[in-house]
Amino acid sequence: MTNAASGLPFDDIRNLLKDLPAADADAAGACRARDAQLTKPPGALGRLEELAAWLCAWQGRHPPKAERVVVAVFAGNHGVVDQGVTAYPQEVPRQMVANFQTDGAAVNQICKTFGLGLKVFELALEKPTRDITRAAALEEAECAATMAYGMEATEGCDILCIGEMGIGNTTIAAALALALFGGTAEDWVGPGTGVDGEGLKRKADAVSRAVALHRAHLADPLEVLRRLGGRELAAMAGAVLAARLQRIPVIIDGYVATAAAAVLWALRPDALAHCVAGHLSAEPAHRRLLEKLGLRPVLDLGMRLGEGSGAAMAAGIVKAAADLHTGMATFESAGVANKSG
């Protein structure tokens, strides 16, 4: 896609994307060298070995750190709910934010299990974005400012997990995916929170009409985000970008979080090299979107909850990968015979 200049707010984002840090090959090499000496056959820990090297490459250090893992959940509301695309009302995000704050949500329990931090970002829930079938969701300055706000999520963490809470946002994710990758609305919509067959038709119709309305502006991925996206998606995109700039590995949650990250991929295809997909959501189009981005999920548990739950589950695996790499003995230190040369 081409990146037509669109004004000063987005120019700031484009400038950040021009000079992204690369993976640290020396740190990754040191990880692989130690891995070859650990008390196990080569490759015996499968993808866990890859995850340890990935952490080292993007943290720029060996051994990897997984002490301060933060799950950032961004909550937003969407005007497209007026099109009958969801089974739940717009009061739910505010109620769920309160549930997060009182330790009552699934993600709270997952974070407790694995010793993860949880940050919840409430994004003007009293003011839904405009209905994307009738107008642009956000103004450019508002979208850029929300991306900048999302960048604050990286403070004080070794690994960042991104997730969301937003009624109607699987419709938004489908609209972003259609605008960025083409196809038909039916390719990208799914049941979300559990809409029936008629609801699914309304979702596809809303996505089709929204993309048609904004088509003249969709050559620019940032315009795609601000016209068809939402506050929580803009904030997640900002968080992923800030993490790259600060060498913080990212675990992406489900379909909506992946759609937010896809905007950065469309701007610069290597922009997500510091990311892994936490899981494969049960939302049908998530697999297709991950394939477009070249991301392989860590887990496939049939989850479709959102709220960062899949990324948080995957974080437990990533923490285990780091601890295995750092804590296992080498053949020499354990006095175990290595394979013969």
Side-chain angles (χ1 to χ4, degrees):
M1 287 194 170
T2 58
N3 296 333
S6 57
L8 290 176
F10 280 161
D11 284 350
D12 291 340
I13 302 298
R14 292 185 219 286
N15 287 334
L16 292 175
L17 281 156
K18 287 179 181 177
D19 190 23
L20 298 179
D24 187 322
D26 291 339
C31 180
R32 295 188 182 97
R34 173 173 167 77
D35 185 80
Q37 299 304 315
L38 298 179
T39 49
K40 62 176 180 60
L45 289 175
R47 193 169 180 197
L48 294 172
E49 298 175 16
E50 297 175 23
L51 289 170
W54 166 75
L55 284 176
C56 289
W58 289 106
Q59 291 179 341
R61 68 184 309 276
H62 179 262
K65 287 184 68 176
E67 298 167 6
R68 299 175 300 172
V69 183
V70 171
V71 180
V73 180
F74 299 90
N77 264 325
H78 301 272
V80 76
V81 168
D82 293 343
Q83 300 297 317
V85 297
T86 179
Y88 288 84
Q90 285 187 337
E91 289 79 10
V92 168
R94 182 181 295 279
Q95 294 164 349
M96 282 302 299
V97 166
N99 197 29
F100 297 143
Q101 292 168 342
T102 56
D103 250 8
V107 71
N108 295 98
Q109 312 318 311
I110 298 169
C111 287
K112 283 183 180 180
T113 298
F114 296 121
L116 314 177
L118 177 63
K119 296 180 181 179
V120 180
F121 296 84
E122 185 177 342
L123 298 161
L125 294 178
E126 75 287 351
K127 183 184 177 184
T129 54
R130 289 182 287 274
D131 182 348
I132 61 172
T133 68
R134 296 171 178 164
L138 299 165
E139 296 298 327
E140 181 175 325
E142 184 182 10
C143 186
T146 305
M147 293 181 75
Y149 178 65
M151 292 178 178
E152 298 177 13
T154 60
E155 183 180 357
C157 65
D158 303 318
I159 301 168
L160 178 68
C161 305
I162 60 163
E164 45 63 40
M165 166 53 59
I167 296 303
N169 64 11
T170 56
T171 301
I172 297 301
L176 289 179
L178 178 60
L180 293 173
F181 299 107
T184 67
E186 288 75 14
D187 292 334
W188 298 107
V189 298
T193 52
V195 295
D196 58 17
E198 288 303 312
L200 203 57
K201 291 179 182 177
R202 290 192 295 271
K203 285 181 77 168
D205 178 63
V207 169
S208 292
R209 287 188 287 119
V211 172
L213 176 67
H214 301 285
R215 189 171 302 283
H217 306 278
L218 301 183
D220 178 356
L222 289 174
E223 281 292 295
V224 172
L225 178 62
R226 77 109 173 162
R227 289 175 176 274
L228 298 174
R231 293 187 184 92
E232 74 271 42
L233 287 95
M236 286 189 288
V240 172
L241 176 56
R244 176 62 172 271
L245 294 169
Q246 296 169 42
R247 289 194 168 279
I248 298 171
V250 174
I251 305 174
I252 301 171
D253 193 42
Y255 185 39
V256 179
T258 306
V263 172
L264 300 177
W265 182 94
L267 286 160
R268 179 171 168 168
D270 66 345
L272 304 183
H274 66 305
C275 301
V276 295
H279 75 128
L280 176 63
S281 167
E283 190 71 6
H286 191 213
R287 182 189 299 274
R288 180 179 294 110
L289 188 53
L290 290 176
E291 289 172 352
K292 293 285 187 183
L293 302 180
L295 294 174
R296 180 161 57 106
V298 174
L299 299 172
D300 181 359
L301 300 175
M303 298 172 67
R304 56 180 181 85
L305 179 61
E307 66 187 46
S309 55
M313 287 295 297
I317 301 296
V318 172
K319 286 188 70 174
D323 290 345
L324 282 164
H325 180 79
T326 303
M328 283 181 70
T330 64
F331 286 104
E332 182 179 1
S333 68
V336 175
N338 200 345
K339 66 178 182 177
S340 60

